[in-house]
Amino acid sequence: MKSACAQQVQSLSSGKEPLPEPCAACALRVLSVCDAIDDCDLDRLAAITSVQDIARHQIFVTEGDPADHLFNVTDGTVKVYKLLPDGRQQITGFLFPGDFLGLSFLERYGCSAEAVTRARCCRFPRKQFAALLTDFPGIERRLLGIASNELATAQDQMVLLGRKTARERVSTFLLMLSRRAARSGGTADPVILPMTRTDIADYLGLTVETVSRTFTQLKKDGFIELREAGVVHLSNLPALEDLSEGF
């Protein structure tokens, strides 16, 4: 005999009852924390979810503000950064569809978030989202995985900024975006760069001039091909991988 949940899933898939908004047409659920909830329970998550459309260059999370919401990026590209005392910014990461934002035990946001392109997020009130963890332990396990990945990324960033040359940093950055796209079911090559050279420089700890010069050098050496704006073909992937590892 089928469980009530299984019967409801069958009913939903047969078209008798649509999935609750905003989850009904979400193609990114498999990449996000929402995948830890069965179809028959999505109404619980949908009840606390609001969809936020974010204009390009709009700051929607400000460092130091009360951390009242969590976000799941569903469209566009977002940069996460910290402001230094002299006004400079250090970008700590770029978020893409399926990525989660706001995972912290702190009462205030530790970083700011700004849309690089037009973006869209699902927004969850922190307290109400935390209440779901009791009933859906799968979400907590997924969040733990996200936290572990963020720690590994932070460690890689320390190595990137502390030990690698400009050519190694840019090569590592291109490979990171390529692998990220492949994991999400996208195209690994060519690499799409929605962010500006300034953003790349702020992420890699370089000047804009150094970033531009390094791209030109990699093109001249036959490692990459610069196509239309924001599109980079990895024309010699093995050499690029060796360069990123310092060989």
Side-chain angles (χ1 to χ4, degrees), residues 99-150:
D99 286 335
F100 203 74
L101 173 64
L103 182 60
S104 174
F105 293 105
L106 301 176
E107 294 297 322
R108 296 185 178 274
Y109 293 118
C111 295
S112 298
E114 176 183 329
V116 173
T117 64
R118 292 186 62 181
R120 174 174 290 182
C121 293
C122 285
R123 185 175 65 177
F124 315 102
R126 177 182 294 274
K127 292 182 179 179
Q128 292 172 268
F129 188 86
L132 291 179
L133 300 183
T134 301
D135 294 334
F136 304 106
I139 299 180
E140 191 167 17
R141 289 193 294 271
R142 182 65 68 91
L143 291 177
L144 179 60
I146 292 173
S148 298
N149 290 336
E150 288 183 352

Side-chain angles (χ1 to χ4, degrees), residues 230-242:
V231 180
V232 179
H233 167 53
L234 310 182
S235 48
N236 192 338
L237 182 59
L240 203 64
E241 291 174 334
D242 286 343

Side-chain angles (χ1 to χ4, degrees), residues 2 15 55 72 74 78 82 84 90 102 112 127 138 147 150 154 156 164-165 187 189 215 225 235 240 245:
K2 294 183 179 179
N72 196 53
T74 58
V78 170
K82 293 184 72 71
L84 303 180
Q90 174 64 57
S112 298
K127 292 182 179 179
E150 288 183 352
D156 290 342
K164 293 193 174 185
T165 67
T187 301
D189 187 24
F215 271 105
E225 176 184 330
S235 48
L240 203 64
E245 296 297 331

Side-chain angles (χ1 to χ4, degrees), residues 12-13 22 24 55 62 67 73 75-76 78 88 94 102 107 122 131 152 173 184 197 215-216 218 221 230 232 235 244:
L12 291 171
S13 63
T62 301
V73 180
D75 191 27
V78 170
R88 291 177 298 163
F94 294 98
E107 294 297 322
C122 285
F173 180 68
S184 301
R197 289 285 194 269
F215 271 105
T216 300
L218 292 175
D221 293 341
V232 179
S235 48
S244 73

